[in-house]
Each structure stands twice: as C-alpha cells, then as structure tokens.
Amino acid sequence: KQIPNEFVLYDNYPNPFNAQTLIKYQLPQSGHVKLVVYNLLGQEIKTLINKNQNAGHFNLLWDGKDNLGQQVPSGVYFYRIQAEGFAV
C-alpha cells in the first residue's frame, strides 16, 4: 500500500448514523492518534482511538456506543482527530 502524503479525515457514512457508521482517515507519518466522537453539545461521547499508529489508510467502524458501553440515540455526531500537529 502507498503511504499517503497528507493527513485526511473523510466524511463518515452513513451520517446521521443509525446503528453504526464508518470513519475513514489517512496518516502520512507514524505517531500518536486520538479520534473522539462528540454530541451536538460538544460533550465527549466515545474515544475511538488513543494510541500510536503507523502511517497509512484506516477504516474504523463505530458501533454507536459511548465510553460506558451504552447505545447512544440515532442522530448527528461530530468527530475530531488529532495526530502529530494535525487536528480537524
């Protein structure tokens, strides 16, 4: 696989999600990655990734559960990625 040349966080599908949603992102370099889901009030719902990852392309399936393992209601949620000086 080719290593990407830039950080990218793609739109998830489906959005608004129902039972689950797929989040795609790419990293041009290895480093610590944190990807968190927030509700419309800006409250943290779920930390999906908080670890070191190699450069590459990634697909992450969120099952719609919060940090306590509880199913969250269907609707619109935001997600944010932070990695080696990149955040969106």
Side-chain angles (χ1 to χ4, degrees):
K1 259 186 175 178
Q2 244 185 343
I3 302 231
N5 60 5
E6 64 182 346
F7 288 101
V8 177
L9 179 62
Y10 296 98
D11 291 336
N12 63 306
Y13 180 83
N15 190 12
F17 90 103
N18 193 351
Q20 61 186 21
T21 190
L22 182 67
I23 299 170
K24 296 181 180 184
Y25 60 98
Q26 65 183 39
L27 307 170
Q29 63 193 47
S30 299
H32 189 265
V33 177
K34 186 172 184 182
L35 198 149
V36 179
V37 176
Y38 299 91
N39 65 15
L40 290 174
L41 300 174
Q43 299 165 319
E44 181 178 321
I45 299 298
K46 176 77 175 184
T47 298
L48 298 174
I49 296 285
N50 190 9
K51 65 180 185 179
N52 288 324
Q53 287 191 302
N54 292 326
H57 301 269
F58 299 89
N59 295 325
L60 181 63
L61 190 64
W62 178 40
D63 62 4
K65 293 184 179 170
D66 64 15
N67 282 329
L68 300 175
Q70 302 295 313
Q71 189 70 39
V72 300
S74 295
V76 177
Y77 293 85
F78 299 99
Y79 52 98
R80 176 178 171 82
I81 192 170
Q82 294 173 279
E84 298 304 311
F86 172 79
V88 67

